[in-house]
């Protein structure tokens, strides 16, 4: 088990990293011109589940591997830190269903902001991929938490012998 001072330090560092993560997310989701985040007269949105995922998989050669990876894996990867850090910051959020719900709600909020501001594109597939990323982040957290606890128990047993 971790000592109280180590837990406080990890929580402090996690808050700093989480704030940096949020700032970067806001920038890339709403302001990055490289990702097409400029207001436009024409706006595209997708409310049909898996339509864009299917389109990217079907026309990956025409769309380009980089764009396919950026869209599909980028949407998953951008929420992995969310699912990993939230349980560190709040013990009450150490539940895969809570992380799934928080990831879903945050992703829906982002997509609605994109719809209203016409920055980026509102896509139900992004919600699906972001939620998956949050769940994967929680699974990664759970694995790390298990390993740390096993290491702590092993170390404690050695100390008691």
């Amino acid at each position: 088990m971790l000592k109280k001072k180590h837990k406080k330090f990890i929580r402090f560092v996690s808050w700093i990293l989480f704030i940096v993560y949020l700032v970067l997310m806001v920038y890339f989701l709403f302001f990055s011109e490289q990702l097409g985040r400029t207001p436009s007269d024409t706006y595209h949105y997708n409310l049909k589940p898996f339509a864009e995922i299917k389109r990217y998989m079907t026309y990956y050669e025409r769309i380009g591997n980089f764009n396919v990876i950026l869209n599909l894996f980028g949407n998953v990867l951008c929420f992995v830190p969310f699912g990993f850090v939230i349980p560190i910051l709040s013990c009450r959020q150490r539940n895969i269903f809570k992380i799934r719900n928080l990831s879903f709600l945050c992703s829906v909020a982002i997509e609605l902001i994109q719809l209203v501001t016409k920055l980026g594109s509102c896509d139900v597939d992004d919600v699906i991929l972001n939620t998956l990323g949050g769940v994967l982040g929680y699974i990664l957290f759970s694995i790390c938490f298990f390993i740390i606890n096993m290491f702590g128990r092993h170390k404690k047993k050695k100390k008691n012998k």
Side-chain angles (χ1 to χ4, degrees):
M1 292 293 199
L2 291 174
K3 293 180 181 179
K4 193 172 186 174
K5 67 179 181 179
H6 290 122
K7 288 181 181 180
K8 280 187 174 185
F9 177 74
I10 289 170
R11 193 164 280 136
F12 175 75
V13 170
S14 295
W15 270 111
I16 291 171
L17 292 174
F18 190 66
I19 290 167
V20 169
Y21 164 75
L22 290 176
V23 168
L24 289 172
M25 287 284 287
V26 168
Y27 171 74
F28 285 117
L29 290 171
F30 301 109
F31 301 109
S32 175
E33 290 181 13
Q34 292 92 351
L35 297 176
R37 307 302 190 225
T38 54
S40 172
D41 293 338
T42 60
Y43 187 73
H44 304 283
Y45 58 89
N46 169 43
L47 301 177
K48 183 179 175 187
F50 302 104
E52 282 298 299
I53 294 172
K54 184 179 176 184
R55 185 177 73 83
Y56 272 90
M57 299 304 282
T58 304
Y59 300 107
Y60 72 92
E61 289 177 349
R62 191 175 301 157
I63 295 169
N65 290 333
F66 176 76
N67 290 326
V68 171
I69 290 169
L70 181 66
N71 190 333
L72 299 182
F73 294 108
N75 276 304
V76 173
L77 288 177
C78 74
F79 262 71
V80 169
F82 183 86
F84 187 89
V85 174
I86 293 294
I88 295 171
L89 299 178
S90 174
C91 294
R92 289 181 283 169
Q93 302 305 325
R94 290 188 181 164
N95 179 308
I96 195 163
F97 301 109
K98 287 183 178 182
I99 295 300
R100 180 203 58 202
N101 294 343
L102 281 172
S103 299
F104 175 80
L105 291 173
C106 287
S107 185
V108 166
I110 289 168
E111 296 303 317
L112 289 175
I113 291 168
Q114 287 181 330
L115 179 66
V116 170
T117 62
K118 296 183 180 178
L119 294 170
S121 63
C122 179
D123 188 349
V124 70
D125 289 349
D126 289 353
V127 173
I128 294 166
L129 295 169
N130 293 158
T131 304
L132 175 63
V135 169
L136 290 174
Y138 179 79
I139 291 169
L140 185 61
F141 162 80
S142 297
I143 291 167
C144 292
F145 189 73
F146 176 79
I147 291 169
I148 289 170
N149 281 334
M150 289 302 292
F151 178 74
R153 286 188 205 133
H154 180 70
K155 194 173 177 182
K156 194 174 185 178
K157 283 181 183 179
K158 275 189 166 182
K159 191 177 183 181
N160 289 337
K161 286 185 179 182

